[in-house]
Amino acid sequence: MIPYPFEYRRAKSLQDAQAILANNPDAKLLAGGQTLIPTMKMRLANPSELVDISKLAELSFIRADGDALTIGAATTHGAVAASAEVRRMIPSLAHLAAHIGDPAVRAAGTLGGSLANNDPAADYPAAVLALNATIKTTKREIASDDFFTGMFSTALEDGEIVTEVAFAKPLRSGYQKFANPASRYPMAGVFVAQTKGGVRVAVTGAGPGVFRVTEMEAALAKNFAPDAVASIKVDPADLNSDIHATAEYRAHLVTVMAKRAVEHAVAHDGH
Ligand SMILES: Cc1cc2nc3c(=O)[nH]c(=O)nc-3n(C[C@H](O)[C@H](O)[C@H](O)COP(=O)(O)OP(=O)(O)OC[C@H]3O[C@@H](n4cnc5c(N)ncnc54)[C@H](O)[C@@H]3O)c2cc1C
């Protein structure tokens, strides 16, 4: 296969990365490369320039301040999983990160890369949506309800870089996924979070993009118990059917994973 040429640039700073993107609309950010490089290998993307932000210290951090937990966009899945701060404040988020892909993927893949890519089967979007996190970029702050706009698409504009994600410590939360045995991507993953503002339930891996289940949210707001969601079904018509599972089976999995996620949240009482 004929290799196609591209320039590799390691950004010296966030500003430097922004400047390179502004000068070359055909340039692409490189974070962990766990999605972009395979996509380039498959000739589904061929940027003329790669701007590596993976080593920028200003994007690689985990900061806890009272009930606020902020994670830099270039923080790896492995660092999130291992972080004492994340485990203390949102253990279900550490649990989620610890089950992304395999050790090699977790050592390189980043929170910002996962959100910007917005794979319909990515784990992090379920956490960000259920925890009502705020995505901060080089241009603005975006609420989670406005960030995920569809399959592999987000509210991000050209040249806009995700810098960090701000979470608030929930009262209780839980995440459970039915993972594809090969890739570990969720075929159905459900994140439930009970915060002072109410209950949010987000589903990934089952539909064309991450989505909330307001019927389950209403039931859990009344009674935060596994049985409250045990008989709630999502409509298979909105879900994916593929070689791994039918839409009907995914709908069934959503209910089972939601029940287990609540069990996890109740059993661990958020800790
Ligand atoms: C074998 C394998 C198994 C996997 N299993 C799972 C799984 O179980 N669950 C799961 O959720 N994911 C899984 N993944 C995907 C993994 O989590 C990737 O790390 C993630 O999708 C992309 O993150 P990255 O840092 O590698 O981004 P990259 O591949 O570097 O970039 C992805 C895209 O995001 C853009 N981008 C990167 N950073 C930013 C930023 N800060 N601001 C704006 N745009 C940005 C890039 O330009 C590119 O378009 C798997 C991947 C592999 C290869």
Side-chain angles (χ1 to χ4, degrees):
M1 192 176 286
I2 305 162
Y4 53 71
F6 61 88
E7 289 298 317
Y8 167 83
R9 312 271 298 274
R10 179 171 290 180
K12 299 182 196 64
S13 66
L14 183 57
Q15 244 177 343
D16 181 34
Q18 279 183 279
I20 299 169
L21 293 180
N23 286 335
N24 176 4
D26 190 37
K28 258 196 173 302
L29 288 173
L30 176 69
Q34 298 301 299
T35 295
L36 183 54
I37 302 298
T39 309
M40 291 172 68
K41 280 186 179 164
M42 291 186 280
R43 299 292 187 264
L44 297 172
N46 61 347
S48 60
E49 201 168 1
L50 287 182
V51 188
D52 187 349
I53 57 170
S54 65
K55 298 290 177 290
L56 290 180
E58 58 195 310
L59 295 182
S60 307
F61 63 87
I62 295 173
R63 192 173 58 235
D65 182 9
D67 279 352
L69 178 72
T70 309
I71 303 179
T75 305
T76 65
H77 310 326
V80 172
S83 159
E85 296 290 12
V86 179
R87 289 178 179 186
R88 178 174 62 80
M89 294 187 67
I90 317 180
S92 51
L93 184 62
H95 169 82
L96 177 151
H99 292 85
I100 290 177
D102 58 33
V105 173
R106 293 193 289 274
T110 69
L111 172 63
S114 175
L115 298 182
N117 185 55
N118 192 24
D119 186 312
D123 290 282
Y124 274 133
V128 166
L129 192 58
L131 291 162
N132 201 9
T134 301
I135 297 97
K136 302 191 181 180
T137 79
T138 42
K139 293 185 180 174
R140 58 196 160 140
E141 298 193 354
I142 310 171
S144 61
D145 283 324
D146 304 327
F147 184 82
F148 306 105
T149 57
M151 188 183 274
F152 294 106
S153 76
T154 71
L156 291 173
E157 295 160 2
D158 290 345
E160 189 170 9
I161 304 177
V162 176
T163 54
E164 60 189 51
V165 182
F167 299 90
K169 182 177 184 301
L171 301 172
R172 290 187 278 194
S173 64
Y175 179 65
Q176 291 289 303
K177 72 173 177 182
F178 188 90
N180 176 302
S183 67
R184 313 311 298 159
Y185 276 100
M187 288 157 59
V190 180
F191 201 108
V192 299
Q194 185 183 37
T195 64
K196 295 187 190 96
V199 177
R200 291 166 68 104
V201 175
V203 177
T204 188
V210 65
F211 62 93
R212 288 173 57 193
V213 185
T214 50
E215 195 186 344
M216 286 185 177
E217 295 178 352
L220 290 170
K222 285 200 203 97
N223 173 26
F224 196 85
D227 288 349
V229 294
S231 58
I232 298 177
K233 294 252 171 295
V234 293
D235 185 352
D238 306 330
L239 304 184
N240 305 340
S241 265
D242 56 24
I243 55 166
H244 304 298
T246 63
E248 288 70 25
Y249 183 50
R250 280 195 166 90
H252 165 71
L253 287 177
V254 168
T255 304
V256 175
M257 293 305 124
K259 196 165 172 267
R260 290 186 189 167
V262 178
E263 279 162 8
H264 195 262
V266 170
H268 300 275
D269 194 19
H271 288 297

